[in-house]
Amino acid sequence: NGTHPSKPTMMLGASGGIGQPLSLLLKNSPLVGELSLFDIAHTPGVAADLSHIETRAHVTGYMGPDQLNAALKGCDVVVIPAGVPRKPGMTRDDLFNTNATIVATLADAVARNCPEAMICIIANPVNSTIPITSEVMKKYGVYNPNRVFGVTTLDIVRANAFVAELKGLDPARVNVPVIGGHAGKTIIPLISQATPKVEFPADQLSALTARIQDAGTEVVKAKAGAGSATLSMAYAGARFTFSVLDAMNGKEGVVECAYVRSEETECKYFSTPLLLGKHGIEKNLGLGKLSAFEENLVADAIGELKGSIKKGEDFVANMK
């Protein structure tokens, strides 16, 4: 509503394949009054370009490591799409070495400059980059599990689109919770909890679940070496960021799934529907009632998730 004194929403990795369209969507929103953009290259151009758009968000660009601290000062939401994308044949985990270092460096800067910000991590592999971010924040004694989110929203967006397509529904009215993690079989769509209620025969349900789990790879293959999902990811990242901002502004009943510190399963981090509030997670809404098929998907995911979490924690423990 434009009455809130605006603290900057910060994007780290603003010049990249996700960062540019995501910056555009944030600039286009009345929820954003201050938009700060950081990247290691091209940020002044992206910021200049966006600044000509006739919406109220004021845009500032920062470039290079020496401007990172200044970029983050006073930010209350930090969105991190930074990192390298997948190429055909790569899993999200193949990005680990490069992106783990990038995320750890950025998390370190956030811990020093805006430790109370809501941190929304898009950089893959999310299953490991959230534990990395959390461990870095802990080193500075500023970790707040209610403010660190792995953005899995694209899985929900895809599930909604695919279910709507199969059932001839308006995708804007479909809501499919997706729990677990954000890679392959750790992505667990809860079709049994979809609204409106939908039913599929077993073979179709199995194929739909596999398509949701492999949708990222579908895009990587279609782009044939030119990257991974950027436009749909920007849309999903914006949707999640707007939900966080709405909740911070006092809107009631804002629910999004995200990958967070969790007590809901034996995994230390797990994505479930969350009620968001002024201070981040207000309430973890848990897994809800699962079908037998979904129970099996959860059981199948736990081992891989635990491994990805440990990999992230070990990376920070062994950092110089």
Side-chain angles (χ1 to χ4, degrees):
N1 59 9
T3 56
H4 297 278
S6 199
K7 285 188 167 174
T9 296
M10 177 74 221
M11 176 121 46
L12 301 176
S15 307
I18 296 165
Q20 289 204 38
L22 179 48
S23 299
L24 175 61
L25 292 168
L26 297 180
K27 170 68 173 126
N28 200 32
S29 167
L31 290 170
V32 179
E34 270 304 322
L35 181 60
S36 296
L37 307 176
F38 172 85
D39 213 320
I40 52 171
H42 310 304
T43 343
V46 174
D49 195 354
L50 288 171
S51 73
H52 294 183
I53 293 173
E54 55 180 358
T55 54
R56 77 182 188 97
H58 177 256
V59 184
T60 315
Y62 299 88
M63 188 167 77
D66 51 330
Q67 294 190 5
L68 181 55
N69 292 329
L72 284 165
K73 280 275 183 285
C75 289
D76 62 358
V77 178
V78 179
V79 185
I80 309 186
V84 294
R86 288 196 285 162
K87 294 274 198 287
M90 289 175 84
T91 66
R92 288 182 180 89
D93 193 56
D94 291 335
L95 305 173
F96 184 90
N97 289 339
T98 308
N99 286 1
T101 306
I102 293 170
V103 170
T105 305
L106 297 174
D108 187 282
V110 170
R112 287 182 288 103
N113 292 287
C114 52
E116 300 200 335
M118 304 291 174
I119 307 172
C120 310
I121 307 272
I122 293 170
N124 272 316
V126 166
N127 291 358
S128 301
T129 54
I130 288 299
I132 287 170
T133 303
S134 304
E135 292 301 311
V136 171
M137 301 298 278
K138 281 182 201 172
K139 280 191 168 181
Y140 285 92
V142 295
Y143 174 55
N144 181 342
N146 295 324
R147 291 173 182 256
V148 179
F149 302 95
V151 181
T152 62
T153 315
L154 183 50
D155 299 324
I156 292 88
V157 165
R158 285 167 165 155
N160 293 348
F162 300 165
V163 166
E165 195 180 355
L166 288 171
K167 292 293 185 189
L169 298 164
D170 172 4
R173 306 201 43 167
V174 176
N175 182 33
V176 181
V178 181
I179 64 168
H182 182 61
K185 69 177 183 184
T186 69
I187 298 168
I188 304 162
L190 302 184
I191 308 291
S192 74
Q193 293 181 25
T195 49
K197 196 163 171 41
V198 290
E199 295 201 347
F200 294 98
D203 56 338
Q204 199 178 15
L205 177 63
S206 180
L208 171 62
T209 300
R211 186 178 176 206
I212 294 165
Q213 290 175 331
D214 299 331
T217 306
E218 185 181 309
V219 176
V220 171
K221 282 182 179 162
K223 288 197 173 181
S228 55
T230 53
L231 301 171
S232 53
M233 185 60 248
Y235 168 86
R239 172 180 146 167
F240 186 77
T241 305
F242 298 152
S243 289
V244 168
L245 289 167
D246 272 336
M248 288 169 77
N249 288 340
K251 185 173 175 184
E252 308 254 313
V254 179
V255 175
E256 289 281 1
C257 296
Y259 180 69
V260 297
R261 183 77 176 85
S262 174
E263 306 293 331
E264 300 301 316
T265 66
E266 59 195 271
C267 288
K268 209 186 278 191
Y269 298 86
F270 203 84
S271 180
T272 43
L274 309 168
L275 177 64
L276 301 177
K278 287 189 172 180
H279 307 290
I281 302 171
E282 198 146 295
K283 184 168 191 243
N284 192 319
L285 303 177
L287 287 73
K289 192 174 180 309
L290 304 184
S291 68
F293 176 70
E294 292 158 356
E295 295 265 11
N296 285 336
L297 293 176
V298 171
D300 272 352
I302 298 286
E304 181 179 326
L305 258 180
K306 282 183 168 171
S308 299
I309 292 165
K310 185 174 184 324
K311 188 169 178 176
E313 291 177 337
D314 290 350
F315 178 82
V316 177
N318 299 325
M319 260 177 11
K320 295 287 171 277

